[in-house]
Amino acid sequence: LRQGAGPRNPLGRIVLRFPNPYSVYLHDTPSQPLFSKGPRAFSSGCVRVEQPLLLRDFLVSPSEKIRTEELLATETTHEFRLATPVPVLLGYWTVQVDGKGALLYAPDIYGRDPVLMKAMESAL
């Protein structure tokens, strides 16, 4: 089952695919109000981008930007490949340090912390 392009598509107007073993990609969303909510785990594993066209602008040449605007205006599905591939690195952290040195914890929505904790304990 595949939903066609259009204003109600949950992937929004643009999807940024990149090679990875998990079939994860970056995408727009018609649900922009979700960016003001927390926690932010609304997607099914992929990553919603708040300003996907701004990200696109960083990734493409001026002529590619014009071409993608033309493709988006058709409101149909197109595949557009970057002339120069760009590496994508996604990070997943459940703890960070604030400006005062205090630890801030976030929910481990993917359940990765127990494996990490076990690995850290066995390294001691």
Side-chain angles (χ1 to χ4, degrees):
L1 183 63
R2 183 178 212 169
Q3 184 174 351
R8 298 181 68 149
N9 187 299
L11 300 180
R13 295 182 62 212
I14 188 167
V15 176
L16 304 164
R17 299 185 191 277
F18 56 97
N20 69 86
Y22 308 106
S23 298
V24 171
Y25 43 87
L26 308 175
H27 67 87
D28 183 17
T29 179
S31 304
Q32 286 292 316
L34 293 177
F35 287 106
S36 64
K37 297 184 182 236
R40 295 274 305 276
F42 296 106
S43 196
S44 300
C46 293
V47 181
R48 293 175 192 232
V49 178
E50 188 169 6
Q51 297 180 12
L53 296 180
L54 181 60
L55 177 58
R56 182 253 350 236
D57 293 349
F58 286 118
L59 298 174
V60 300
S61 68
S63 63
E64 289 175 315
K65 179 180 176 182
I66 292 168
R67 179 66 181 138
T68 59
E69 287 295 336
E70 293 168 351
L71 294 172
L72 287 169
T74 68
E75 295 188 1
T76 59
T77 300
H78 297 276
E79 182 170 326
F80 176 88
R81 295 187 181 264
L82 296 176
T84 306
V86 176
V88 175
L89 176 66
L90 299 177
Y92 175 74
W93 292 275
T94 57
V95 64
Q96 62 184 350
V97 179
D98 71 10
K100 297 180 181 179
L103 295 177
L104 301 173
Y105 293 92
D108 179 20
I109 61 171
Y110 296 114
R112 297 190 182 264
D113 283 352
V115 174
L116 178 60
M117 294 300 292
K118 188 173 183 177
M120 290 171 56
E121 288 169 2
S122 67
L124 295 176

